[in-house]
Amino acid sequence: GEESESIVVLLLHASSGKPKGGANSKATRAILKSVRENVPRATVLRPEAKGTSVPPRAAQTQAFVRAVAADESGVLPSGKRRKWLIVGYSFGTRVASAMMSDISAWLPDGDELIGGLLFAFPATNGSDFEKIRDEPTRIEADVRLAFIRGTNDKLARASEFDGIYDRVSAKKRRWDIAADHGMALDEAMTKDAIKNATSYLMSQEEEEDVPDAKRQRKV
């Protein structure tokens, strides 16, 4: 039951923003606020990792989690079964995907990974649209993924994003909303998408076989 479980949210920031500052701080704060509203009892961890390459960032984040898990100062709730939810924004979605592809490297013994909430996954490189990012397609774990994509996001155009999404084998849903890469064009719509995506991830019920197109918000 709820009393014997605790939720840990791992929030992974974009490449150009530190957890508490930087170019992407506004989007990160908005995401954090909405996640806390929808998962009110969660312990939120915000590791600061440096670099613009996925493997080093993932390695830094894995080391951070291992250190926190070994720390007996009470950063993580103890005495309860812990369930983890990874939340990534922009470049952080790529790192989150790498983390979910290598769970044994960081998830504490006895804990469970629920899945990932991926905001503004950059399907392409901003300076070279021929470079396709496909980290979510490598996730083989039994987890759920929720994608929130802005229809005005130049890094996640439907022509590239749809192909990657179709190749993701994990349980998944997506919400396409009228927003850019900063998720800033429609705050109410973004909050609504976060609420629905979080509900999907936290649900323990078996999902119905409903086409993703019917789950997306019309824009």
Side-chain angles (χ1 to χ4, degrees), residues 8-68:
V8 181
V9 173
L10 187 63
L11 179 62
L12 306 183
H13 61 81
S15 59
S16 60
K18 295 181 179 179
K20 298 181 181 179
N24 295 303
S25 60
K26 183 176 180 180
T28 303
R29 286 200 307 269
I31 291 168
L32 176 61
K33 180 180 178 181
S34 290
V35 169
R36 281 181 165 154
E37 288 174 353
N38 290 288
V39 195
R41 294 183 297 276
T43 298
V44 179
L45 303 178
R46 303 177 65 188
E48 179 177 344
K50 299 179 180 179
T52 56
S53 176
V54 173
R57 278 275 300 267
Q60 292 175 53
T61 306
Q62 291 170 353
F64 168 86
V65 173
R66 290 195 298 267
V68 170

Side-chain angles (χ1 to χ4, degrees), residues 124-144:
T124 59
N125 184 310
S127 58
D128 184 356
F129 289 108
E130 297 300 317
K131 290 185 177 180
I132 305 297
R133 277 75 174 265
D134 64 354
E135 286 86 2
T137 68
R138 305 173 197 170
I139 300 172
E140 299 179 355
D142 183 18
V143 297
R144 293 187 178 195

Side-chain angles (χ1 to χ4, degrees), residues 8 52 61 66 103 114 122 136 143 164 175 190 192 202 208 216:
V8 181
T52 56
T61 306
R66 290 195 298 267
I103 297 173
I114 298 171
V143 297
I164 295 170
W175 283 262
T190 302
D192 186 51
M202 301 300 295
E208 298 178 9
Q216 297 174 36

Side-chain angles (χ1 to χ4, degrees), residues 90 93-94 119-123 133-136 147 155-156 161 164:
S90 187
T93 64
R94 300 179 64 200
F119 289 87
F121 172 72
R133 277 75 174 265
D134 64 354
E135 286 86 2
F147 292 83
L155 301 185
F161 182 89
I164 295 170

